[in-house]
C-alpha cells in the first residue's frame, strides 16, 4: 500500500536478530542467540557471501552493503533497505552518522521522523537510543576483527505497539 517491501507475517510479537560488521566471520554463538527470530537484518560490512548463506539457515535475511564489502557484495546489495516489519517502518543502512550522510542515504524516503527504527553499523560501537518515537540502533561489530569493544549483536522485539531493543555481548 505505501510502496515499501513488506515482510508482514501477522505476528503479535516479532523478534528480529540484528548484526553488522561480521567482516567475513560468523561467530558460532549467533546461531543460538538468533534461534526463533522471524527476520535477521545485517547492517553491512558482511565480508563474505558465506555469512549470508549461514544466516539464511536461521531465518530470512535482509542485508545492505557496507563500505568495507568487496565488489561482489557491493553489486548484489543496496545501500539502504526500507522495510515494514510488524507495522513498523524500518530503515536499514550501514552508515548512520553523521546525520547529513544519513539524510542523503534516505534520498526521498521521507524524514528521519517517519521511521520507527533506524538500524546502522559501521562504528563498531553498540548504540541504542530513542529520539522521540524513533529507535536508533547499532548492534556493534559482530566480529572481533576490527572491534573496539567486545563483539556484539542485537535483538529487537516488536509487539503491542512497542519496540524493545537489546545489545548482547558475544564475549559472555
Amino acid at each position: 500500500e505505501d510502496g515499501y517491501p513488506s515482510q508482514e507475517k501477522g505476528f503479535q510479537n516479532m523478534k528480529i536478530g540484528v548484526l553488522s560488521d561480521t567482516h567475513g566471520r560468523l561467530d558460532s554463538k549467533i546461531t543460538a542467540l538468533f534461534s526463533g527470530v522471524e527476520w535477521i537484518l545485517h547492517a553491512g560490512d558482511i565480508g563474505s557471501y558465506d555469512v549470508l548463506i549461514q544466516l539464511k539457515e536461521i531465518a530470512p535475511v535482509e542485508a545492505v552493503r557496507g563500505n568495507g564489502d568487496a565488489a561482489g557484495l557491493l553489486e548484489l546489495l543496496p545501500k539502504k533497505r526500507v522495510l515494514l516489519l510488524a507495522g513498523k517502518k524500518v530503515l536499514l543502512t550501514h552508515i548512520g552518522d553523521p546525520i547529513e550522510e544519513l539524510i542523503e542515504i534516505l534520498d526521498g524516503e521521507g524524514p528521519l521522523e517517519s521511521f520507527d527504527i533506524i538500524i546502522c553499523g559501521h562504528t563498531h560501537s553498540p548504540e541504542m537510543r530513542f529520539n522521540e518515537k524513533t529507535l536508533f540502533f547499532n548492534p556493534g561489530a559482530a566480529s572481533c576483527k576490527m572491534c573496539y569493544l567486545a563483539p556484539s549483536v542485537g535483538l529487537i522485539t516488536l509487539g503491542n505497539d512497542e519496540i524493545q531493543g537489546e545489545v548482547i555481548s558475544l564475549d559472555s
Side-chain angles (χ1 to χ4, degrees):
E1 274 159 60
D2 54 16
Y4 298 110
S6 177
Q7 283 72 31
E8 291 293 324
K9 286 186 172 181
F11 290 99
Q12 283 286 31
N13 286 308
M14 181 181 282
K15 194 171 173 185
I16 303 163
V18 183
L19 73 167
S20 184
D21 299 278
T22 48
H23 299 284
R25 182 180 173 273
L26 192 66
D27 190 301
S28 60
K29 295 176 188 169
I30 293 171
T31 301
L33 287 171
F34 284 0
S35 175
V37 301
E38 281 79 32
W39 287 96
I40 297 173
L41 305 182
H42 196 306
D45 275 2
I46 298 158
S48 166
Y49 193 73
D50 289 342
V51 169
L52 295 179
I53 292 170
Q54 292 172 58
L55 289 171
K56 286 178 182 180
E57 292 175 7
I58 304 167
V61 176
E62 293 286 349
V64 294
R65 68 181 184 238
N67 63 306
D69 283 321
L73 284 171
L74 289 176
E75 294 161 7
L76 278 175
L77 300 171
K79 196 173 197 174
K80 71 169 185 273
R81 288 198 188 274
V82 176
L83 309 163
L84 189 63
L85 299 171
K88 303 294 183 199
K89 188 176 174 186
V90 179
L91 172 65
L92 177 64
T93 188
H94 183 59
I95 298 176
D97 197 31
I99 197 78
E100 295 79 20
E101 190 160 346
L102 183 56
I103 290 169
E104 187 178 309
I105 288 168
L106 282 175
D107 190 31
E109 295 285 355
L112 290 176
E113 302 80 38
S114 72
F115 291 91
D116 297 295
I117 305 170
I118 297 174
I119 297 170
C120 62
H122 184 62
T123 65
H124 300 180
S125 291
E127 180 180 9
M128 184 176 66
R129 64 182 165 83
F130 278 92
N131 182 11
E132 308 236 348
K133 72 170 188 83
T134 304
L135 171 64
F136 287 85
F137 192 85
N138 184 329
S143 171
C144 280
K145 182 178 180 186
M146 297 171 58
C147 193
Y148 301 128
L149 305 167
S152 58
V153 296
L155 290 173
I156 295 176
T157 304
L158 307 175
N160 301 329
D161 206 33
E162 65 182 16
I163 300 168
Q164 296 177 350
E166 176 184 11
V167 173
I168 302 165
S169 171
L170 297 177
D171 270 359
S172 48

